[in-house]
Amino acid sequence: MIGIFDSGLGGLTAYKELHTLLPRGDFVYFGDTGRVPYGSRSRELLMRYARQDINFLLANGADVILAACGTVSSVVLDALKSEYALPLIGVVDASVEAALAATKNQKIGVIGTGATVSSGAFERKLHALCPEISVTSVACPLFVPLVENGYIGRDCAVTRQVAEDYLAPMKAAGVDTLILGCTHFPIISDILADILPETVLINSGSAAAKKVAEACGAQSGAGSASFFVSDSPVNFDAVARVFLGGETVKAKQIDIEKY
Ligand code: DGL
């Protein structure tokens, strides 16, 4: 059973890819919609949230867990790995490897939540693997509530306006590759691609999903997927349906504070 968690809808970018790669895999997904956004939380709070998210997935049979959240992956995942016996995979390593493989001009951009960008995790990893790379990082926190509230259409003027503003430094820096370091961001990748048409966009959720699929090998389960959230599922179900191309999700609400 593959467990996936995020603060909300963002982890669906990883689920979508995993579901394609492992159609017979079994998945349990948790979106912490009652406590989103994670990107403005302290390290202490993120530790507590991530432990509860992991404990919930363990209680529901997960034997490998993908932290499909750039914030958790950047800020607390390394510290948590020693607490758990099962494989805990984040989104940083896979995205960095994909970005280094894609760049031709050695100029890479990173966008993520405030916590992710302040942590410097992507930048550190990029420089560790390739010291001469130039990295431009920009925090884009407003994308998270826009996505959670369904402002995801390519023609959405509000999201486009915000994106123009956030991505201006990427244009100025001439990055040829941009890591979408928050898993919510690939949900609006049409808009981001319109603004940076020459730039390769790295989807951190799907890059990490490929790593998980490799680690799991061929799965021979029932092809099941169950979804859980920590607040009313109405909004999650509606946006998930659009993003997943019509797949009905029917998330159940749980009390994450019990875990
Ligand atoms: N999707 C998450 C991330 O990748 C969290 C966004 C948030 O809750 O602020 O960072």
Side-chain angles (χ1 to χ4, degrees):
M1 176 79 77
I2 299 173
I4 304 170
F5 74 92
D6 179 45
S7 62
L9 289 151
L12 292 177
T13 56
Y15 165 73
K16 192 176 185 178
E17 180 77 22
L18 269 168
H19 186 52
T20 306
L21 295 171
L22 304 172
R24 297 186 61 201
D26 292 315
F27 300 96
V28 53
Y29 184 99
F30 175 63
D32 200 359
T33 52
R35 305 190 294 196
V36 67
Y38 278 12
S40 54
R41 308 296 179 193
S42 65
R43 186 172 191 281
E44 291 64 38
L45 209 51
L46 287 170
M47 279 292 237
R48 183 158 82 80
Y49 288 178
R51 280 194 187 105
Q52 289 176 319
D53 301 347
I54 293 166
N55 292 342
F56 171 75
L57 294 174
L58 284 174
N60 281 273
D63 44 33
V64 50
I65 291 181
L66 172 58
C69 172
T71 306
V72 167
S73 304
S74 301
V75 182
V76 295
L77 200 67
D78 283 345
L80 288 174
K81 278 180 180 165
S82 59
E83 294 180 18
Y84 294 92
L86 83 175
L88 265 181
I89 298 171
V91 301
V92 177
D93 290 359
S95 319
V96 162
E97 285 161 22
L100 289 173
T103 186
K104 299 217 165 32
N105 70 1
Q106 314 302 307
K107 292 180 183 171
I108 294 179
V110 178
I111 54 174
T113 64
T116 295
V117 168
S118 316
S119 78
F122 282 91
E123 239 164 298
R124 258 196 316 281
K125 186 84 194 178
L126 283 162
H127 282 137
L129 295 179
C130 188
E132 62 275 19
I133 219 87
S134 134
V135 184
T136 305
S137 302
V138 175
C140 304
L142 291 177
F143 285 158
V144 178
L146 287 167
V147 167
E148 287 292 321
N149 288 284
Y151 284 67
I152 61 174
R154 191 173 194 164
D155 56 356
C156 180
V158 176
T159 304
R160 184 169 293 267
Q161 178 66 57
V162 173
E164 291 273 7
D165 202 53
Y166 277 150
L167 298 182
M170 298 300 169
K171 277 191 183 167
V175 304
D176 73 350
T177 305
L178 178 66
I179 299 178
L180 310 185
C182 168
T183 52
H184 278 70
F185 300 174
I187 297 176
I188 51 165
S189 60
D190 285 351
I191 294 176
L192 308 181
D194 285 345
I195 295 168
L196 295 174
E198 311 292 331
T199 304
V200 178
L201 303 182
I202 304 294
N203 176 334
S204 54
S206 74
K210 290 185 183 108
K211 278 235 162 186
V212 174
E214 273 165 34
C216 291
Q219 295 267 304
S220 53
S224 68
S226 32
F227 296 85
F228 298 88
V229 289
S230 51
D231 196 1
S232 160
V234 176
N235 197 45
F236 182 90
D237 285 357
V239 182
R241 196 180 159 87
V242 175
F243 176 64
L244 296 175
E247 183 182 335
T248 303
V249 151
K250 279 204 185 324
K252 290 188 200 65
Q253 186 173 348
I254 56 109
D255 180 1
I256 193 63
E257 294 294 351
K258 287 189 182 147
Y259 291 87

